[in-house]
Amino acid sequence: MDHSKPTRRTGIFFHYQDGERLRDFPEALAGVLNRDNVFLYDAFYPLKPPSSFELEPISEEVLRQVHTPEMVSEVKRSQAFQGALFSAAGTVAAATRIWRGEIDNAFVFTGYGDHHAGTDFYGGGCYFNGAAIAITQLRRHFGAGRLAIVDTDAHHGDGTWDIFEDDPETLYMCYCSGGPREINNKVNVHVPRRTNDEQYLQLFDDTFVPRVTAFRPEAIFWNWGYDGTQGDYGSLGITADVHIRLARTIKSAAGRVCQGRLIVVLCGGSHRYLARQLIPPIIGELAAQE
Ligand SMILES: [Zn+2]
Ligand SMILES: [Zn+2]
């Protein structure tokens, strides 16, 4: 092993949930969990006693620092509440453990994603905006400043945009089919509805890498959706391989600009085989020597 290159400590934040897409997990993580630098923080795993859970829920007060009390109450009355709560809690726990120096980067399994949840609205399978809640917590409790979110789900992150629209200290780069737009470091990068791997990755390299390098955030949140993969519901014509290559590019940028601090938050994507095919190697990239 070359000790001049860092090996990052990677946290996996997982809560057990029903449903098709993550049915192979956590078993499918066997190949990455055996590494010395990979740690699992979980909740609701039916085979484990509750006392061994390491993922705690977050309070309503914490939710209300991003979302209105009315919205929080509405989600609380829905069937999705517990899943939405632990999805956001995973992202908050990941960020907190990184700031405490326990891990360097993280992969957060979510039942419900982030980016369609705004200050007072939600939809499209998103209830609470975990990255936004984590950012608020980092600033409140650790004095964090500039932070970045990069969003490669196929759809526009209207919720994340809404929450940070007036905040130039949060860089948000959204790759979707909406037109190019920019305000206060909220950047929409237009992706053609039909593209291919090389075009997509070139567009990403040309736009994300220089922008995040110049911005110098203290951490990068990656709202990672695989719904743009061929055959999934937001298909852009890209193959599964794009996601692994994005993981390398984003991890390398985090290594250069923010000591490797990177939090991958699972967003859209429906196919179980793609989750199984992609999530273990993406975590493998996070945990790989640089
Ligand atoms: Zn999507
Ligand atoms: Zn967008």
Side-chain angles (χ1 to χ4, degrees):
M1 180 180 276
D2 179 353
H3 289 281
S4 65
K5 294 177 180 172
T7 299
R8 306 296 182 186
R9 294 159 300 169
T10 299
I12 300 171
F13 294 81
F14 180 86
H15 65 280
Y16 181 84
Q17 49 200 289
D18 292 330
E20 180 65 13
R21 95 165 160 167
L22 296 177
R23 201 191 286 176
D24 297 317
F25 293 88
E27 292 78 4
L29 295 173
V32 287
L33 282 176
N34 59 13
R35 300 191 191 190
D36 290 343
N37 61 323
V38 175
F39 307 94
L40 178 68
Y41 304 97
D42 59 357
F44 292 146
Y45 191 14
L47 301 177
K48 282 180 72 172
S51 59
S52 68
F53 294 156
E54 289 168 281
L55 182 55
E56 302 277 337
I58 47 177
S59 70
E60 272 190 65
E61 189 198 330
V62 167
L63 296 169
R64 284 198 218 105
Q65 284 161 15
V66 167
H67 302 294
T68 61
E70 294 74 20
M71 182 184 145
V72 173
S73 306
E74 211 176 302
V75 177
K76 207 173 167 185
R77 288 192 299 270
S78 78
Q79 298 247 323
F81 178 66
Q82 194 180 53
L85 183 69
F86 274 95
S87 297
T91 308
V92 171
T96 303
R97 287 181 187 267
I98 287 173
W99 247 256
R100 287 195 196 129
E102 295 170 24
I103 52 174
D104 301 295
N105 58 35
F107 186 96
V108 183
F109 283 86
T110 63
Y112 302 102
D114 280 26
H115 75 164
H116 297 309
T119 306
D120 64 352
F121 62 89
Y122 59 94
C126 303
Y127 293 86
F128 298 130
N129 198 310
I133 295 166
I135 284 174
T136 306
Q137 291 299 299
L138 288 178
R139 289 184 175 147
R140 190 171 272 240
H141 298 295
F142 297 95
R146 294 187 151 211
L147 293 157
I149 305 172
V150 57
D151 185 337
T152 63
D153 184 282
H155 303 100
H156 180 58
D158 53 344
T160 307
W161 191 291
D162 169 66
I163 291 165
F164 293 113
E165 183 149 29
D166 299 325
D167 170 19
E169 296 295 292
T170 304
L171 173 66
Y172 176 54
M173 297 193 74
C174 177
Y175 290 78
C176 70
S177 57
R181 194 153 70 98
E182 176 165 352
I183 177 173
N184 287 330
N185 289 320
K186 259 35 75 197
V187 183
N188 206 64
V189 181
H190 170 73
V191 179
R193 280 184 194 279
R194 297 306 296 173
T195 184
N196 61 48
D197 292 4
E198 296 314 317
Q199 280 175 359
Y200 187 96
L201 290 164
Q202 189 67 52
L203 176 69
F204 192 81
D205 281 356
D206 290 348
T207 49
F208 173 72
V209 174
R211 189 69 188 245
V212 80
T213 304
F215 187 74
R216 302 202 69 78
E218 293 177 37
I220 299 170
F221 291 79
W222 177 18
N223 272 0
W224 172 62
Y226 62 86
D227 50 0
T229 316
Q230 289 173 9
D232 216 320
Y233 59 81
S235 177
L236 300 165
I238 56 177
T239 73
D241 186 48
V242 160
H243 304 287
I244 311 295
R245 292 168 70 185
L246 283 174
R248 280 184 209 129
T249 300
I250 297 170
K251 187 195 177 194
S252 157
R256 276 182 281 108
V257 306
C258 51
Q259 300 134 46
R261 290 167 165 179
L262 170 61
I263 298 155
V264 185
V265 183
L266 174 61
C267 291
S270 65
H271 288 305
R272 175 178 171 184
Y273 76 90
L274 284 173
R276 188 186 176 95
Q277 181 185 338
L278 287 169
I279 293 172
I282 286 176
I283 294 171
E285 288 295 331
L286 295 178
Q289 192 180 24
E290 279 170 27

